[in-house]
Each structure stands twice: as structure tokens, then as C-alpha cells.
Amino acid sequence: MKRIIDVDVDGMTCAACSSRIERVLNKKEGVDSATVNLMSNRARIEYDEEKLNSSEIIQSIEKTGFKVPLVSKTLRIEGMTCAACSSRIERVLGKMEGIESANVNLSTNKAVVNYKSGLITEEELIRAVDKAGFSAEVEYEKDYDRDEEIREKEIKSLERDFIISLILSLPLFIGSMILPLFGIESFLDKGIVQFLLSTPVQFYIGRRFYRGAYNSLRGGGANMDVLVSMGTLAAYFFSIYNWLSGSSEYYFESSATIITLILLGKLMEARAKGQTSEAIKTLMGLQPETATIIKDGEEVQVDIEELRIGDIVLVRPGESIPVDGVIVEGNSALDESMITGESIPVEKTVGDEVVGATINKLGSFKFKTTKIGKDTVLSKIIQMVEDAQGSKAPVQRLADKISGIFVPMVVIIALGTLAFYSLIKGDINSGVLNAVAVLVIACPCALGLATPTAIMVGTGKGAENGILIKSGKDLEQAHELDVVIFDKTGTITKGEPEVTDIVSYSNMDEEEILRISGSVERASEHPLGQSIVERARDKKISMTEPENFTAVPGKGLEAKFEDKKVLIGNRRLMVDNNIDIKNAEKDLLRLEEEGKTAMLLSVEDKLIGIIAVADQIKEKSKGAIDKLHEMGIDVYMLTGDNAITARAIGQQVGIREENIFAEVLPDEKSQVVEKIKGEGKSVGMVGDGINDAPALAIADVGFAIGTGTDIAMEAADITLIRGDLEGIVTSIRLSKRTMRTIKQNLFWAFFYNTVGIPIAALGFLNPMFAGAAMAFSSVSVVTNSLRLKSFK
């Protein structure tokens, strides 16, 4: 059978690349034709599915040296009622050719599917979910209003059905269970009355369970709806049989009351699940809906969706900043507590960046938009929280495995119970009653909700505290950390060093040393270099551009200035260039013992002087490190600085000397992380710079300081928006609390089922009480997860 697929290809730079891919594909047996478009970075392949599969085509492209990117699709799924449903859909999607991963979240009713470009269509995904017995639609953009609308519709439907069911079931319960206790006979215990009252509950109100059971069985699985349908129908039809055969043993009230109680549980669960995603709603509410732009000299009010990059936006006192940008006119003070956690307004003037959703406190100003839509800081925060809430923690694997076989096991136990009482004990009434109790007490819902509800609340709570957690795996891993490694500059320290000392070893005075070093450092982006430039500007020293500027990683820099070779850097740079620094050793030692970074300056291979720079320690660094020690976590520090300066900083914040790695080159940071991990320890790495990204990525948990670079934040697992190290402590505390909640949830879900099912099988549990217990087991799990909202 012929098939055509369109595959995205990354890494092509010229026509030779596209021609190479075409040649490789066209030589492959089974490929009828392959054309590669360099402009669109896409390959179209027609092939015979009987001779070749699409995965082999992807492998051929990637073996050629190019990359086929992963595509991620989010599906909204309707019809899931328990963990057995989500496990079933995951298995069906996971078996599809080309699917890299499929994660189905029962709490959000969504599936996130990752697959190689071109291998699968959206229609195929939807068909697969439909075949499993559920319905799905692709979510093209995050539509929180649509999610809310679906949730509200479900709650209203449950409310209506529950009220009708309660009105019809209450007389049944009173007539069969309450009045007989007082020896009162009434028309309510008549078979015809009970039949008339229970039938609408059984078949009109209970229709949602039958529909769910049919779809599940049609898809080749079995879920909670199957158990409820089997249990209530068994009680209902056995009651009809007894009624028609003249017996007065009826269980109409059991079947109706079970349905009523389960509906009540589902209603409470739906309401509680809505509260788990309140963090997203709160973040969404921070952004204003409209903005005032300046167009042709006039003020025009527009919806925020209509903003474009480069628009000039006017912001008045008290208004929220609509998107990210740079001030072009005016000045003010902004409340940036949403981003930084600091309540004190920050002064802003022309050239300063402003972040969407922060609040203008004082004057009016105009800014040019630089980031809109999904690229703004707020949108990225919301996206990260959304992704984390839809992810799974490894601890959920056990619950997923059990959910897959749970319902068939319960059905077997129920049939065994029926057979035992009916055939061995000769008591079919007890057999039916106890089998029904087994069916309705079993609750796969609690298992499915135990982990995702806690992850949703935990990651949302993290966002409220300025902690962005990428996934459930990272949230789980954080509580297991044995070691936390800190980068020094910009992490433990402020990363805003200042020149403190200038020592001359020539006839040059301080101003001349600043003129040379400042001119050369203008070409550098390193914070130490910028501090020298700032000092030269403060002294109004004229600087010029250097030539042949070269940065020497971990050592310093080299440049040509006024036709002279200039070096600025540490001892290693001078030694590598055979420059005698004996005269400076005494001063170097003194400055380094004071915790200052001493940079040596040479001109034409002669030592000219030392410029000492001090980077101030952040106010909360020592307190955070002390708290980590109290938690039993070992703390290390990495720095490119020399050992003496590193020890001085380490002493001030309470890090042991043997845990300080000094003079570490950028590419050596990840090696240090690997070395400590090799000792069998779980390692967290904290950094803020581009050179920290490899170490952040290789650590068990990478923490990026939010005030740092985008690359560090991309590589990290947890981002601390507020920039202070207290966030590390809070992250670990939140992880411990969330994991404790998940373990409590799983314990009670397992305990409830392992204890409840045998009790029901032994005849110690009335089916109505079993139904109530089943209904409220899920509610108790969600409610326990919501207790995380009290975390501070």
C-alpha cells in the first residue's frame, strides 16, 4: 500500500544537504520517490508500506547527519472516569509506530503525545483514542476558557443528575432501611413502588456509567464504569427476579443509592479538581486584557492580542504592563513582586526593560514592545507550570501498572464471591449482595488521582513562590538530593562586582591603568571586566576600542591596544605568557585573603599592576546554605576564581574548605558534577550563566537563578524567578511535602482497596456503604492534595 509522508528536517544549510538526503532516501528499497525542499526544511516521501515502515525512513535521514524534530500534540479527551481509562489510552497511543511518549493526565483530561515529525497525523491520533473507546480533539492553542467551560458543563450535568437521583432514591432508602428499624410498614417497601422509583435512577441517571462501560469494553479495556454498571444492574435485575417470583428480598434501594452516592462523589471530585489548577487562573489574571498604543500620534485602545512587536504602548499610574518591552520615554517605579517577590517598587527609566503583568506605581511612560504572546515572561511561566502539571512523576508508575489489571481482577473476585455463596453455601441472595459490594467498593479512581492532583497543586504552589518546576520528575527528585553545588558569581554573590583596589608596579598611575584596562574590557561581557569599565566611566576617563580582542576561557583576555600587547587575567594567563609576577605575589595573597578577585595587567609582556574587584555576597546566601546544612544536605561551591578568594567567600557563607572547587574552567563544571554523582550521591546544581548550562543539564536537578540567562533557565529543571537562594530551600521543602502527600494518597488508595474488597467479599459490607466508600475515596485523595495549598 502506497503512503506519502511530509517530514521536517533540521540541520540543512545548503543544496548539498538536501541533495544528499534525497540520494539516500531514493536508494532505499520501498521508496518510490523522495524530494527535499531546502526552503521549507521538509522532505516528502512516497513509499510502499509493505516493504518499509516510516520509522526506518526517519532513521535513514538521521543516519545521514540530520535531525527529524519531535512534534508535541495535546489532546483533550472525553469519557475518562478512572485510572484504568488513562492507562488504557496511554497503552493504545504508546503502541503506535513513531510515538516517542504518551502521557495521559486524569486530572486535566488531557494527553500529551510526542512523535517524530511526519510519522503520524492528527486524525490517526484521534482515531486511536476513539478506537480505545473515548473521544478526543486536538488542542491547537491553550484555551483556558474552553477548559473552564468543559469543567463547568460537567459539574452542572452532575449536579442535575445528582438532585434527580437523590429525590428518587431518598424514599427508597427511607422505606427500606429507616422505617423497618422502627417496625413501621409503608407503601414504600412494596415491590412495584420500588421498581417505579429505582428504574429512572438505574437507566436515566445511570446512563453515563453504561455509556462509559460500553465505550471502554468496545475499546478492549475495562474501567470503573464497568464495575458500577455490573454491580448496580446485578442488584436491580435480581430484585426484579425476586419481585416477580414472589420473594420480598429487594435490592432496588441498594442500586439506586449506590448510583446517587457515586454521583455525589463525582460531583465533589470535579469541583475539587477544578481547584488544583487555580495557580494557572491566578497567573492568567495578572495580564490586562487591553493596552493603549500610540498610533499616528493618537492614543488607541486595543485588545492585548492585537499588539505587535515594535508598538509604542502608553502606561499610566496604577495600570499593569501588558507585554514585555523597553522604555522609550518617561520614568516610573514598578511593582515587580510578581517576578522578583520584592515588594519595594523598582525605579525604571529610558532604556530599562519592563515585564508584562508588573504594575506601574507612579509616573506615566511609553515603551516599545519586544516580546508578545507566548514569548513574554508571563506566558513562559504559565507554559512551564502547565507543562509541569500535565507531567508524571516516576512514583506513579506502580499505580499505572496496577490500574491496567485492576478491573479484571475485581470482576474475577466478584464472580468468585457469587459462586462461593451460591454454589457452596447455597445462599444466592448473599452471593449477589456480596458480589455487588465487591464491584462497587473497588475504586481505580483514587489510584489514578493520587499523583497528578498532588503534582498539579505542588507545581502551582511553586509558581506562587517564584519557583518554576519543569516536570513531576523534577519535583520528585528534589527531595532526594544529598548534595547541592553552587556556582559562585551571580549565584552566591550578586554578580555585580566593583573595583576596590588598584596597585601599580610601574610609572603608570591609577587613571592610566584604568584607561588601558577599561578600553580593553569594553569588548568583554564578563561582569569583572564590566566593573572596570564602570569605574573608568565614573572617573570620566576617555576609553577607545581595542584590536584583536580574544577571550581566554577561565584565564582572562588578550588584545592589542595602541599597538601594544595587553593581557588582563589571573596567574595562569600570566604564567602561560611567561610574564614575571614575583613582585605581585604579596599583594595578590593579601587581596585574595580579603575575598577579592585580583586581575593582573601586563603591557608588552611586562607586569603593570593589579586591579582588585569584589563581588558582594547576596543577603540571603548564608541563611539558605545554613538551612541546607540543617536539612542534612552537603553544600559545594564551584568558581573560576583562585583558591584563596574562593576560600574567603566560602568562609563567609559557611561552606567547608574541602567542598570548594576553585579555578574551575567552564567546561570542567560538568565534570565536577559527574565526579560527585559517581560517588552515588543525588546532586543538585545551581547556576545562572551560559557556562553553567552543561552542569545544570547533567545534574540530577538543575536550579537556574531566574535573574540569569535564558540558556541556563532552558537547561535547568527548576527556575528560581526571584534570584535568591532561599528558593532552593523552598523547592526542596515543597518537594518533600508534595512527595509526602503523594505517598499518603497512594497508601490510602492501596489500603482502601486491599482492605475493602476482602471485607466486601466476606459479607461484612452492605453494598450501599460500599458505594459511599467508593465515592468518597477519590474525594479524600483530591482533598488531601489540596492541603498542599497551605504550604508556605
Side-chain angles (χ1 to χ4, degrees):
M1 184 179 172
K2 303 293 183 185
R3 186 182 178 187
I4 297 174
I5 58 171
D6 291 307
V7 179
D8 292 320
V9 182
D10 288 345
M12 293 191 294
T13 56
C14 63
C17 300
S18 54
S19 298
R20 187 177 166 203
I21 297 170
E22 278 185 0
R23 281 198 306 276
V24 168
L25 291 176
N26 281 314
K27 283 180 184 176
K28 200 160 186 67
E29 186 184 353
V31 172
D32 294 332
S33 69
T35 55
V36 182
N37 189 318
L38 179 63
M39 296 300 292
S40 63
N41 288 319
R42 180 166 284 198
R44 170 162 281 198
I45 305 107
E46 185 177 352
Y47 67 101
D48 187 338
E49 284 187 301
E50 292 178 3
K51 296 180 180 178
L52 193 64
N53 65 48
S54 52
S55 294
E56 291 174 302
I57 293 171
I58 300 301
Q59 286 169 12
S60 297
I61 294 172
E62 293 193 331
K63 279 181 183 175
T64 312
F66 302 91
K67 185 77 177 168
V68 176
L70 278 177
V71 175
S72 182
K73 293 288 180 188
T74 299
L75 305 176
R76 280 197 184 93
I77 297 176
E78 289 187 23
M80 290 195 297
T81 56
C82 66
C85 303
S86 54
S87 295
R88 168 74 183 156
I89 297 168
E90 265 186 14
R91 285 198 304 275
V92 168
L93 290 173
K95 286 178 182 175
M96 293 178 72
E97 185 193 345
I99 295 283
E100 298 275 322
S101 65
N103 176 21
V104 182
N105 190 314
L106 181 62
S107 290
T108 58
N109 290 319
K110 290 182 182 180
V112 178
V113 187
N114 295 306
Y115 56 91
K116 290 285 187 180
S117 166
L119 292 193
I120 296 169
T121 65
E122 292 176 359
E123 290 75 18
E124 286 172 324
L125 290 174
I126 291 169
R127 276 201 302 273
V129 175
D130 182 66
K131 197 173 177 182
F134 305 89
S135 60
E137 63 178 47
V138 177
E139 181 180 77
Y140 294 105
E141 288 184 17
K142 299 292 180 192
D143 189 344
Y144 300 100
D145 290 338
R146 170 100 167 106
D147 290 344
E148 187 68 24
E149 182 186 319
I150 292 170
R151 188 160 42 243
E152 285 300 319
K153 186 179 176 183
E154 173 65 7
I155 288 172
K156 283 179 181 174
S157 172
L158 284 166
E159 281 176 345
R160 184 190 64 246
D161 284 1
F162 169 69
I163 291 167
I164 295 169
S165 189
L166 181 64
I167 291 168
L168 294 170
S169 300
L170 207 53
L172 282 169
F173 183 77
I174 292 169
S176 299
M177 302 297 292
I178 304 297
L179 296 181
L181 291 175
F182 300 98
I184 301 171
E185 291 188 11
S186 73
F187 72 97
L188 292 174
D189 60 5
K190 303 296 182 189
I192 184 64
V193 174
Q194 293 203 10
F195 170 77
L196 292 172
L197 286 171
S198 65
T199 300
V201 175
Q202 192 69 48
F203 295 106
Y204 174 68
I205 303 301
R207 70 195 183 284
R208 63 175 65 239
F209 302 116
Y210 308 136
R211 191 186 304 124
Y214 168 75
N215 287 333
S216 179
L217 292 170
R218 180 172 63 88
N223 62 2
M224 181 208 80
D225 293 324
V226 173
L227 299 180
V228 174
S229 299
M230 285 180 68
T232 57
L233 285 171
Y236 176 81
F237 283 114
F238 189 60
S239 299
I240 290 177
Y241 171 78
N242 281 353
W243 171 42
L244 295 177
S245 60
S247 171
S248 58
E249 290 283 342
Y250 308 139
Y251 305 109
F252 289 117
E253 83 286 347
S254 292
S255 65
T257 306
I258 286 167
I259 288 172
T260 305
L261 289 170
I262 291 172
L263 279 177
L264 177 60
K266 284 287 172 192
L267 175 58
M268 294 174 69
E269 180 189 314
R271 285 176 173 164
K273 278 164 68 175
Q275 294 178 48
T276 60
S277 57
E278 277 184 2
I280 296 282
K281 296 178 202 169
T282 303
L283 289 168
M284 288 292 294
L286 293 172
Q287 192 172 49
E289 294 180 357
T290 60
T292 303
I293 63 170
I294 307 301
K295 196 170 185 179
D296 300 327
E298 299 287 325
E299 295 180 15
V300 182
Q301 194 94 352
V302 297
D303 289 337
I304 196 166
E305 292 82 11
E306 296 176 37
L307 285 175
R308 296 291 177 265
I309 291 175
D311 282 346
I312 303 300
V313 180
L314 172 67
V315 184
R316 296 185 175 87
E319 293 181 345
S320 292
I321 316 299
V323 293
D324 301 354
V326 176
I327 296 178
V328 293
E329 183 184 315
N331 53 71
S332 184
L334 268 58
D335 176 358
E336 295 189 331
S337 57
M338 184 276 291
I339 298 293
T340 65
E342 297 293 334
S343 57
I344 301 169
V346 181
E347 297 291 332
K348 297 281 184 178
T349 188
V350 174
D352 288 338
E353 292 184 352
V354 293
V355 177
T358 56
I359 300 168
N360 181 25
K361 302 296 282 186
L362 298 174
S364 297
F365 64 88
K366 295 174 185 174
F367 75 93
K368 181 188 284 188
T369 59
T370 55
K371 291 178 182 176
I372 59 173
K374 62 179 175 28
D375 295 322
T376 65
V377 170
L378 179 64
S379 293
K380 286 180 177 178
I381 290 173
I382 291 170
Q383 181 65 53
M384 194 175 281
V385 175
E386 177 89 14
D387 290 345
Q389 290 189 340
S391 68
K392 276 191 178 181
V395 72
Q396 194 173 340
R397 289 177 190 146
L398 178 61
D400 287 346
K401 284 180 181 176
I402 291 172
S403 297
I405 58 171
F406 184 86
V407 176
M409 284 174 59
V410 172
V411 172
I412 290 168
I413 294 168
L415 291 174
T417 302
L418 177 63
F420 174 77
Y421 280 94
S422 303
L423 302 177
I424 297 174
K425 286 206 164 190
D427 185 356
I428 192 168
N429 283 336
S430 295
V432 170
L433 207 61
N434 296 340
V436 169
V438 168
L439 289 169
V440 297
I441 197 171
C443 186
C445 308
L447 286 173
L449 293 168
T451 302
T453 52
I455 293 291
M456 287 180 75
V457 180
T459 51
K461 201 66 193 175
E464 286 178 28
N465 286 275
I467 300 163
L468 301 182
I469 302 163
K470 270 190 179 175
S471 73
K473 177 182 76 68
D474 303 319
L475 182 60
E476 177 178 340
Q477 188 80 44
H479 89 289
E480 297 175 343
L481 292 178
D482 304 306
V483 171
V484 172
I485 304 172
F486 289 97
D487 173 55
K488 178 179 78 70
T489 306
T491 304
I492 289 176
T493 63
K494 293 179 180 177
E496 298 170 359
E498 296 176 357
V499 174
T500 57
D501 303 78
I502 298 176
V503 182
S504 176
Y505 299 107
S506 66
N507 57 0
M508 288 186 190
D509 59 14
E510 285 191 10
E511 287 202 0
E512 183 62 11
I513 289 174
L514 273 175
R515 187 182 77 84
I516 296 171
S517 58
S519 295
V520 173
E521 291 284 9
R522 285 179 70 185
S524 169
E525 294 181 356
H526 197 285
L528 297 178
Q530 289 304 303
S531 68
I532 297 171
V533 175
E534 286 301 316
R535 173 57 67 89
R537 282 177 182 152
D538 289 346
K539 288 186 169 286
K540 297 184 169 49
I541 294 171
S542 177
M543 293 175 284
T544 55
E545 291 292 327
E547 297 175 3
N548 302 332
F549 175 91
T550 306
V552 185
K555 298 176 184 178
L557 54 86
E558 179 182 336
K560 202 89 170 170
F561 179 70
E562 295 178 347
D563 292 326
K564 293 175 183 177
K565 178 186 175 184
V566 176
L567 295 172
I568 304 174
N570 56 23
R571 284 184 181 83
R572 291 166 73 177
L573 182 67
M574 299 299 152
V575 170
D576 288 351
N577 286 273
N578 300 313
I579 295 167
D580 185 4
I581 59 170
K582 287 177 186 172
N583 291 345
E585 286 293 353
K586 188 176 178 181
D587 289 319
L588 281 171
L589 193 62
R590 173 181 61 82
L591 292 165
E592 288 165 353
E593 283 177 344
E594 292 171 3
K596 296 170 182 175
T597 300
M599 291 179 283
L600 296 154
L601 169 68
S602 77
V603 177
E604 290 292 291
D605 295 331
K606 288 185 181 177
L607 183 67
I608 298 300
I610 297 175
I611 302 170
V613 173
D615 187 5
Q616 300 302 309
I617 292 169
K618 291 178 181 177
E619 291 81 2
K620 295 183 180 180
S621 291
K622 186 175 188 316
I625 289 168
D626 287 345
K627 286 175 183 173
L628 288 173
H629 282 139
E630 288 169 14
M631 288 177 169
I633 295 171
D634 215 1
V635 178
Y636 287 69
M637 183 177 79
L638 297 180
T639 178
D641 266 348
N642 61 76
I644 299 171
T645 304
R647 275 200 302 272
I649 297 292
Q651 270 183 344
Q652 292 178 56
V653 294
I655 299 176
R656 294 199 309 272
E657 189 174 325
E658 62 268 27
N659 286 1
I660 295 170
F661 290 80
E663 298 181 29
V664 179
L665 296 175
D667 60 343
E668 293 173 347
K669 289 184 178 182
S670 57
Q671 293 171 23
V672 174
V673 175
E674 280 277 34
K675 177 178 176 291
I676 298 172
K677 281 179 69 176
E679 296 170 6
K681 295 175 180 176
S682 180
V683 178
M685 172 70 197
V686 189
D688 76 323
I690 291 172
N691 58 20
D692 298 321
L696 290 170
I698 211 165
D700 293 300
V701 181
F703 296 87
I705 302 296
T707 48
T709 65
D710 286 344
I711 294 174
M713 290 167 71
E714 197 67 36
D717 304 304
I718 297 176
T719 299
L720 311 174
I721 301 176
R722 295 171 185 173
D724 69 67
L725 302 190
E726 288 283 354
I728 307 290
V729 178
T730 307
S731 301
I732 295 170
R733 282 180 49 241
L734 178 62
S735 172
K736 287 177 184 289
R737 176 84 181 271
T738 305
M739 288 311 300
R740 188 163 69 243
T741 300
I742 288 172
K743 285 171 183 175
Q744 288 168 352
N745 287 348
L746 288 172
F747 171 80
W748 286 114
F750 284 125
F751 177 82
Y752 162 84
N753 282 299
T754 52
V755 172
I757 292 172
I759 289 174
L762 293 170
F764 297 125
L765 199 61
N766 182 287
M768 284 186 289
F769 293 118
M774 187 267 203
F776 289 101
S777 62
S778 300
V779 177
S780 64
V781 162
V782 180
T783 305
N784 190 45
S785 295
L786 289 173
R787 288 172 58 238
L788 272 169
K789 295 175 87 171
S790 65
F791 176 86
K792 291 180 182 177

